[in-house]
Amino acid sequence: MRQRRLGGQGLQVSTEGLGCMGMSSAYGPADETEAIATVHRALDLGITFLDTSDMYGPWTNEELVGRAISGRRDEVVLATKFGNEVENGRLTGRVNGRPDYLREALDGSLKRLGVEHVDLYYQHRVDTEVPVEETFGALADLVAEGKIRYVGISEAAPESIRRAHAVHPLTALQTEYSLFTRDVEGNDVLATTRELGIGFVAYSPLGRGFLTGTIRSAGDLSEEDRRRTTHPRFQEENFARNLAVVDRIRVLADAKGVTSSQLALAWVLARGEDIVVIPGTKRRSYLEANAAAAEITLTPGDLAAIDAVAPPGVAHGDRYPPGHMEAVHR
């Protein structure tokens, strides 16, 4: 797996990372044995950039990742996040950027992951009641203490990115980016990271699985899968129209001799050398197919054809339900 540089502080990561959230929450039944085998296979393939958060579970995903990397810590660039407040193992629904809270959150993450430091530590959502200068001042102190190596921010607006970066250089911004979600191209988020030399980590580059082409109806999702009940793009009024877009992408993928997933991932990677993707999967078979996307070269003709069938704003429905949308790009 090739490497790309994130930010200007020296962090190198695999061009594709692995989003671990779905291994223990959100997307149906968990299979820890297969999940750990998937992490091990990722490391064997050179996919060494692993992404988790204390809110996934909550806590259980970090514990799983910790078990998976035990004995292989030196192979891993480990990213986790704080800010979606967790109390006594339960999400409160609040965002918390207070310095005392983030210190406590980091100590918990280090314990669950079984590590002495985190390579990349993100503020998961911006707390509008705590100045980002306070939050990132505390993160700068934790860098000095050696508990974290690099600092990031997730789902932040340009002003928040600038203010945080002025306190301590940001290595990465993590935000949703895919053929279904191209907001960052028009709201100055991507332009801001490029101006400031901040790396871009694209999560949900497969549109939460929709762009794989394997989800043909809501019935393909388990009853425990939150996409089935809460994510607007998977709801009845939007599903058929979004599926029609996926089918148009699939025609292009077939012509290229690749899968829809591979084409979608290659498209995000083609947006710039400052971008890495962290597709989530909990199965080795999907992991291996995704990994092959890093070797696909898209021609100008390919890119034009993709833009023609999936221009900005093509997806029907918001990417999150209303309450969650209020917490992004703040």
Side-chain angles (χ1 to χ4, degrees):
M1 178 64 64
R2 298 173 186 173
Q3 300 275 305
R4 286 187 173 179
R5 179 180 174 179
L6 283 181
Q9 295 74 53
L11 182 61
Q12 298 277 342
V13 301
S14 51
T15 301
E16 281 191 27
L18 176 61
C20 298
M21 179 187 74
M23 293 178 174
S24 54
S25 67
Y27 294 162
D31 181 340
E32 181 167 322
T33 299
E34 178 61 18
I36 290 176
T38 299
V39 173
H40 291 170
R41 181 58 179 150
L43 299 181
D44 293 342
L45 291 170
I47 299 173
T48 54
F49 185 33
L50 305 184
D51 183 87
T52 183
S53 171
D54 63 356
M55 74 163 290
Y56 300 157
W59 295 351
T60 56
N61 195 245
E62 287 185 326
E63 293 169 345
L64 184 151
V65 170
R67 289 190 289 272
I69 66 173
S70 178
R72 302 186 70 170
R73 175 66 178 97
D74 292 345
E75 301 175 52
V76 175
V77 177
L78 183 60
T80 192
K81 315 176 197 73
F82 75 94
N84 286 301
E85 189 180 73
V86 183
E87 287 185 353
N88 301 316
R90 297 175 67 93
L91 287 166
T92 67
R94 297 185 295 267
V95 174
N96 193 334
R98 296 196 319 269
D100 59 340
Y101 176 78
L102 76 88
R103 280 185 168 273
E104 179 182 339
L106 176 60
D107 286 342
S109 291
L110 293 173
K111 182 177 180 180
R112 288 185 291 274
L113 290 162
V115 299
E116 295 181 354
H117 71 272
V118 170
D119 297 302
L120 177 58
Y121 198 45
Y122 296 99
Q123 183 180 25
H124 207 158
R125 294 290 187 271
V126 173
D127 184 348
T128 57
E129 297 183 2
V130 177
V132 292
E133 290 81 3
E134 290 186 21
T135 302
F136 282 83
L139 289 170
D141 291 341
L142 290 167
V143 172
E145 293 171 23
K147 289 188 174 183
I148 57 180
R149 294 178 63 213
Y150 301 97
V151 172
I153 196 168
S154 178
E155 290 287 12
E159 181 185 0
S160 297
I161 296 168
R162 291 182 185 280
R163 289 170 58 194
H165 189 68
V167 175
H168 187 280
L170 296 177
T171 289
L173 167 83
Q174 183 179 134
T175 291
E176 187 170 349
Y177 192 24
S178 73
L179 285 169
F180 267 7
T181 300
R182 298 177 61 171
D183 313 26
V184 297
E185 297 174 8
N187 62 12
D188 287 335
V189 168
L190 185 55
T192 300
T193 61
R194 287 180 167 163
E195 176 193 336
L196 300 176
I198 300 167
F200 192 106
V201 178
Y203 78 83
S204 292
L206 296 174
R208 292 182 173 77
F210 218 143
L211 290 163
T212 66
T214 60
I215 302 171
R216 309 299 300 176
S217 72
D220 291 331
L221 304 172
S222 74
E223 292 187 0
E224 301 136 306
D225 192 318
R226 74 181 185 196
R227 291 172 293 185
R228 183 169 180 162
T229 56
T230 64
H231 282 282
R233 291 176 180 170
F234 291 83
Q235 303 314 301
E236 183 176 357
E237 64 273 20
N238 297 319
F239 196 104
R241 290 183 288 182
N242 289 329
L243 186 60
V245 177
V246 171
D247 286 342
R248 293 197 292 271
I249 295 168
R250 189 174 193 170
V251 171
L252 299 180
D254 289 344
K256 186 77 174 174
V258 299
T259 68
S260 298
S261 297
Q262 290 167 338
L263 190 72
L265 291 172
W267 179 85
V268 180
L269 292 173
R271 305 308 284 177
E273 290 292 320
D274 55 339
I275 297 175
V276 302
V277 294
I278 50 168
T281 186
K282 49 189 176 182
R283 296 182 180 88
R284 283 168 286 181
S285 57
Y286 295 154
L287 172 84
E288 291 170 358
N290 289 345
E295 302 302 319
I296 296 171
T297 299
L298 298 180
T299 67
D302 293 330
L303 294 170
I306 293 169
D307 265 342
V309 301
V314 72
H316 294 269
D318 286 334
R319 54 193 178 103
Y320 284 117
H324 292 186
M325 282 300 297
E326 293 169 3
V328 303
H329 293 167
R330 298 196 296 190

PDB file of all heavy atoms in Angstrom, residues 220-238:
ATOM      1  N   ASP A 220     -32.039  -5.383   2.761  1.00  0.00           N
ATOM      2  CA  ASP A 220     -30.675  -5.904   2.755  1.00  0.00           C
ATOM      3  C   ASP A 220     -29.907  -5.516   4.013  1.00  0.00           C
ATOM      4  O   ASP A 220     -28.787  -5.992   4.228  1.00  0.00           O
ATOM      5  CB  ASP A 220     -29.909  -5.393   1.523  1.00  0.00           C
ATOM      6  CG  ASP A 220     -30.437  -5.982   0.234  1.00  0.00           C
ATOM      7  OD1 ASP A 220     -30.950  -7.118   0.267  1.00  0.00           O
ATOM      8  OD2 ASP A 220     -30.342  -5.309  -0.811  1.00  0.00           O
ATOM      9  N   LEU A 221     -30.497  -4.633   4.822  1.00  0.00           N
ATOM     10  CA  LEU A 221     -29.880  -4.205   6.062  1.00  0.00           C
ATOM     11  C   LEU A 221     -30.570  -4.886   7.237  1.00  0.00           C
ATOM     12  O   LEU A 221     -31.785  -5.028   7.244  1.00  0.00           O
ATOM     13  CB  LEU A 221     -29.996  -2.681   6.219  1.00  0.00           C
ATOM     14  CG  LEU A 221     -29.416  -1.844   5.070  1.00  0.00           C
ATOM     15  CD1 LEU A 221     -29.764  -0.377   5.266  1.00  0.00           C
ATOM     16  CD2 LEU A 221     -27.904  -2.023   4.974  1.00  0.00           C
ATOM     17  N   SER A 222     -29.797  -5.289   8.229  1.00  0.00           N
ATOM     18  CA  SER A 222     -30.391  -5.943   9.388  1.00  0.00           C
ATOM     19  C   SER A 222     -31.240  -4.953  10.168  1.00  0.00           C
ATOM     20  O   SER A 222     -31.079  -3.731  10.053  1.00  0.00           O
ATOM     21  CB  SER A 222     -29.295  -6.507  10.302  1.00  0.00           C
ATOM     22  OG  SER A 222     -28.647  -5.464  10.997  1.00  0.00           O
ATOM     23  N   GLU A 223     -32.144  -5.467  10.981  1.00  0.00           N
ATOM     24  CA  GLU A 223     -33.015  -4.601  11.764  1.00  0.00           C
ATOM     25  C   GLU A 223     -32.231  -3.776  12.780  1.00  0.00           C
ATOM     26  O   GLU A 223     -32.701  -2.723  13.223  1.00  0.00           O
ATOM     27  CB  GLU A 223     -34.082  -5.434  12.464  1.00  0.00           C
ATOM     28  CG  GLU A 223     -35.084  -6.053  11.488  1.00  0.00           C
ATOM     29  CD  GLU A 223     -36.226  -6.736  12.203  1.00  0.00           C
ATOM     30  OE1 GLU A 223     -36.233  -6.716  13.452  1.00  0.00           O
ATOM     31  OE2 GLU A 223     -37.110  -7.282  11.519  1.00  0.00           O
ATOM     32  N   GLU A 224     -31.005  -4.222  13.138  1.00  0.00           N
ATOM     33  CA  GLU A 224     -30.184  -3.483  14.100  1.00  0.00           C
ATOM     34  C   GLU A 224     -29.363  -2.385  13.438  1.00  0.00           C
ATOM     35  O   GLU A 224     -28.702  -1.616  14.120  1.00  0.00           O
ATOM     36  CB  GLU A 224     -29.246  -4.444  14.834  1.00  0.00           C
ATOM     37  CG  GLU A 224     -29.986  -5.540  15.594  1.00  0.00           C
ATOM     38  CD  GLU A 224     -29.330  -6.892  15.380  1.00  0.00           C
ATOM     39  OE1 GLU A 224     -29.149  -7.282  14.209  1.00  0.00           O
ATOM     40  OE2 GLU A 224     -29.000  -7.527  16.384  1.00  0.00           O
ATOM     41  N   ASP A 225     -29.388  -2.350  12.114  1.00  0.00           N
ATOM     42  CA  ASP A 225     -28.561  -1.412  11.359  1.00  0.00           C
ATOM     43  C   ASP A 225     -29.235  -0.046  11.345  1.00  0.00           C
ATOM     44  O   ASP A 225     -30.347   0.113  10.854  1.00  0.00           O
ATOM     45  CB  ASP A 225     -28.390  -1.927   9.928  1.00  0.00           C
ATOM     46  CG  ASP A 225     -27.326  -1.199   9.147  1.00  0.00           C
ATOM     47  OD1 ASP A 225     -27.252   0.037   9.255  1.00  0.00           O
ATOM     48  OD2 ASP A 225     -26.569  -1.866   8.410  1.00  0.00           O
ATOM     49  N   ARG A 226     -28.547   0.971  11.885  1.00  0.00           N
ATOM     50  CA  ARG A 226     -29.198   2.265  12.029  1.00  0.00           C
ATOM     51  C   ARG A 226     -29.429   2.972  10.691  1.00  0.00           C
ATOM     52  O   ARG A 226     -30.235   3.901  10.627  1.00  0.00           O
ATOM     53  CB  ARG A 226     -28.409   3.161  12.982  1.00  0.00           C
ATOM     54  CG  ARG A 226     -27.123   3.734  12.432  1.00  0.00           C
ATOM     55  CD  ARG A 226     -26.435   4.578  13.481  1.00  0.00           C
ATOM     56  NE  ARG A 226     -25.257   5.236  12.950  1.00  0.00           N
ATOM     57  CZ  ARG A 226     -24.309   5.775  13.706  1.00  0.00           C
ATOM     58  NH1 ARG A 226     -24.396   5.701  15.021  1.00  0.00           N
ATOM     59  NH2 ARG A 226     -23.267   6.370  13.161  1.00  0.00           N
ATOM     60  N   ARG A 227     -28.738   2.556   9.640  1.00  0.00           N
ATOM     61  CA  ARG A 227     -29.018   3.139   8.331  1.00  0.00           C
ATOM     62  C   ARG A 227     -30.471   2.895   7.935  1.00  0.00           C
ATOM     63  O   ARG A 227     -31.097   3.723   7.273  1.00  0.00           O
ATOM     64  CB  ARG A 227     -28.082   2.548   7.267  1.00  0.00           C
ATOM     65  CG  ARG A 227     -26.631   2.947   7.401  1.00  0.00           C
ATOM     66  CD  ARG A 227     -25.739   2.181   6.454  1.00  0.00           C
ATOM     67  NE  ARG A 227     -25.674   0.770   6.786  1.00  0.00           N
ATOM     68  CZ  ARG A 227     -24.886  -0.115   6.168  1.00  0.00           C
ATOM     69  NH1 ARG A 227     -24.114   0.274   5.156  1.00  0.00           N
ATOM     70  NH2 ARG A 227     -24.881  -1.382   6.530  1.00  0.00           N
ATOM     71  N   ARG A 228     -30.986   1.762   8.339  1.00  0.00           N
ATOM     72  CA  ARG A 228     -32.346   1.362   7.956  1.00  0.00           C
ATOM     73  C   ARG A 228     -33.400   2.274   8.563  1.00  0.00           C
ATOM     74  O   ARG A 228     -34.466   2.493   7.967  1.00  0.00           O
ATOM     75  CB  ARG A 228     -32.573  -0.088   8.395  1.00  0.00           C
ATOM     76  CG  ARG A 228     -33.910  -0.665   8.011  1.00  0.00           C
ATOM     77  CD  ARG A 228     -33.923  -2.157   8.259  1.00  0.00           C
ATOM     78  NE  ARG A 228     -35.207  -2.743   7.896  1.00  0.00           N
ATOM     79  CZ  ARG A 228     -35.398  -4.035   7.689  1.00  0.00           C
ATOM     80  NH1 ARG A 228     -34.391  -4.872   7.792  1.00  0.00           N
ATOM     81  NH2 ARG A 228     -36.588  -4.485   7.378  1.00  0.00           N
ATOM     82  N   THR A 229     -33.104   2.838   9.727  1.00  0.00           N
ATOM     83  CA  THR A 229     -34.133   3.584  10.446  1.00  0.00           C
ATOM     84  C   THR A 229     -33.858   5.077  10.574  1.00  0.00           C
ATOM     85  O   THR A 229     -34.799   5.856  10.743  1.00  0.00           O
ATOM     86  CB  THR A 229     -34.299   3.012  11.864  1.00  0.00           C
ATOM     87  OG1 THR A 229     -33.018   3.032  12.525  1.00  0.00           O
ATOM     88  CG2 THR A 229     -34.830   1.592  11.804  1.00  0.00           C
ATOM     89  N   THR A 230     -32.596   5.490  10.512  1.00  0.00           N
ATOM     90  CA  THR A 230     -32.308   6.887  10.827  1.00  0.00           C
ATOM     91  C   THR A 230     -31.630   7.680   9.718  1.00  0.00           C
ATOM     92  O   THR A 230     -31.772   8.908   9.687  1.00  0.00           O
ATOM     93  CB  THR A 230     -31.423   6.994  12.087  1.00  0.00           C
ATOM     94  OG1 THR A 230     -30.149   6.393  11.829  1.00  0.00           O
ATOM     95  CG2 THR A 230     -32.082   6.303  13.266  1.00  0.00           C
ATOM     96  N   HIS A 231     -30.905   7.045   8.818  1.00  0.00           N
ATOM     97  CA  HIS A 231     -30.165   7.813   7.815  1.00  0.00           C
ATOM     98  C   HIS A 231     -31.076   8.155   6.637  1.00  0.00           C
ATOM     99  O   HIS A 231     -31.600   7.269   5.958  1.00  0.00           O
ATOM    100  CB  HIS A 231     -28.934   7.036   7.344  1.00  0.00           C
ATOM    101  CG  HIS A 231     -27.801   7.104   8.312  1.00  0.00           C
ATOM    102  ND1 HIS A 231     -26.989   8.213   8.422  1.00  0.00           N
ATOM    103  CD2 HIS A 231     -27.351   6.215   9.230  1.00  0.00           C
ATOM    104  CE1 HIS A 231     -26.081   7.990   9.366  1.00  0.00           C
ATOM    105  NE2 HIS A 231     -26.290   6.800   9.871  1.00  0.00           N
ATOM    106  N   PRO A 232     -31.263   9.451   6.378  1.00  0.00           N
ATOM    107  CA  PRO A 232     -32.242   9.875   5.370  1.00  0.00           C
ATOM    108  C   PRO A 232     -32.030   9.278   3.986  1.00  0.00           C
ATOM    109  O   PRO A 232     -33.017   9.003   3.285  1.00  0.00           O
ATOM    110  CB  PRO A 232     -32.072  11.402   5.352  1.00  0.00           C
ATOM    111  CG  PRO A 232     -31.616  11.741   6.729  1.00  0.00           C
ATOM    112  CD  PRO A 232     -30.706  10.602   7.116  1.00  0.00           C
ATOM    113  N   ARG A 233     -30.806   9.069   3.575  1.00  0.00           N
ATOM    114  CA  ARG A 233     -30.576   8.587   2.212  1.00  0.00           C
ATOM    115  C   ARG A 233     -31.012   7.143   2.016  1.00  0.00           C
ATOM    116  O   ARG A 233     -31.166   6.688   0.879  1.00  0.00           O
ATOM    117  CB  ARG A 233     -29.105   8.764   1.841  1.00  0.00           C
ATOM    118  CG  ARG A 233     -28.748  10.232   1.690  1.00  0.00           C
ATOM    119  CD  ARG A 233     -27.293  10.471   1.414  1.00  0.00           C
ATOM    120  NE  ARG A 233     -27.053  11.908   1.297  1.00  0.00           N
ATOM    121  CZ  ARG A 233     -25.860  12.474   1.237  1.00  0.00           C
ATOM    122  NH1 ARG A 233     -24.774  11.717   1.287  1.00  0.00           N
ATOM    123  NH2 ARG A 233     -25.742  13.784   1.133  1.00  0.00           N
ATOM    124  N   PHE A 234     -31.227   6.438   3.110  1.00  0.00           N
ATOM    125  CA  PHE A 234     -31.669   5.046   3.035  1.00  0.00           C
ATOM    126  C   PHE A 234     -33.167   4.905   3.259  1.00  0.00           C
ATOM    127  O   PHE A 234     -33.685   3.790   3.261  1.00  0.00           O
ATOM    128  CB  PHE A 234     -30.905   4.202   4.066  1.00  0.00           C
ATOM    129  CG  PHE A 234     -29.450   4.019   3.744  1.00  0.00           C
ATOM    130  CD1 PHE A 234     -28.514   4.981   4.088  1.00  0.00           C
ATOM    131  CD2 PHE A 234     -29.003   2.878   3.088  1.00  0.00           C
ATOM    132  CE1 PHE A 234     -27.172   4.816   3.794  1.00  0.00           C
ATOM    133  CE2 PHE A 234     -27.664   2.702   2.794  1.00  0.00           C
ATOM    134  CZ  PHE A 234     -26.749   3.675   3.134  1.00  0.00           C
ATOM    135  N   GLN A 235     -33.845   6.019   3.476  1.00  0.00           N
ATOM    136  CA  GLN A 235     -35.282   5.963   3.737  1.00  0.00           C
ATOM    137  C   GLN A 235     -36.059   5.885   2.426  1.00  0.00           C
ATOM    138  O   GLN A 235     -35.579   6.255   1.361  1.00  0.00           O
ATOM    139  CB  GLN A 235     -35.723   7.161   4.551  1.00  0.00           C
ATOM    140  CG  GLN A 235     -34.976   7.306   5.881  1.00  0.00           C
ATOM    141  CD  GLN A 235     -34.872   6.006   6.655  1.00  0.00           C
ATOM    142  OE1 GLN A 235     -35.874   5.397   6.989  1.00  0.00           O
ATOM    143  NE2 GLN A 235     -33.640   5.564   6.935  1.00  0.00           N
ATOM    144  N   GLU A 236     -37.286   5.416   2.524  1.00  0.00           N
ATOM    145  CA  GLU A 236     -38.091   5.060   1.356  1.00  0.00           C
ATOM    146  C   GLU A 236     -38.187   6.190   0.335  1.00  0.00           C
ATOM    147  O   GLU A 236     -38.064   5.959  -0.876  1.00  0.00           O
ATOM    148  CB  GLU A 236     -39.494   4.659   1.807  1.00  0.00           C
ATOM    149  CG  GLU A 236     -40.392   4.200   0.673  1.00  0.00           C
ATOM    150  CD  GLU A 236     -41.737   3.713   1.177  1.00  0.00           C
ATOM    151  OE1 GLU A 236     -41.936   3.675   2.414  1.00  0.00           O
ATOM    152  OE2 GLU A 236     -42.588   3.387   0.333  1.00  0.00           O
ATOM    153  N   GLU A 237     -38.376   7.417   0.794  1.00  0.00           N
ATOM    154  CA  GLU A 237     -38.585   8.516  -0.137  1.00  0.00           C
ATOM    155  C   GLU A 237     -37.334   8.852  -0.944  1.00  0.00           C
ATOM    156  O   GLU A 237     -37.407   9.479  -2.002  1.00  0.00           O
ATOM    157  CB  GLU A 237     -39.061   9.769   0.614  1.00  0.00           C
ATOM    158  CG  GLU A 237     -38.067  10.357   1.600  1.00  0.00           C
ATOM    159  CD  GLU A 237     -38.138   9.749   2.992  1.00  0.00           C
ATOM    160  OE1 GLU A 237     -38.676   8.624   3.126  1.00  0.00           O
ATOM    161  OE2 GLU A 237     -37.665  10.398   3.939  1.00  0.00           O
ATOM    162  N   ASN A 238     -36.157   8.431  -0.463  1.00  0.00           N
ATOM    163  CA  ASN A 238     -34.904   8.745  -1.143  1.00  0.00           C
ATOM    164  C   ASN A 238     -34.209   7.521  -1.743  1.00  0.00           C
ATOM    165  O   ASN A 238     -33.384   7.661  -2.650  1.00  0.00           O
ATOM    166  CB  ASN A 238     -33.925   9.409  -0.161  1.00  0.00           C
ATOM    167  CG  ASN A 238     -34.437  10.729   0.353  1.00  0.00           C
ATOM    168  OD1 ASN A 238     -35.008  11.516  -0.394  1.00  0.00           O
ATOM    169  ND2 ASN A 238     -34.259  10.991   1.642  1.00  0.00           N
TER     170      ASN A 238
END
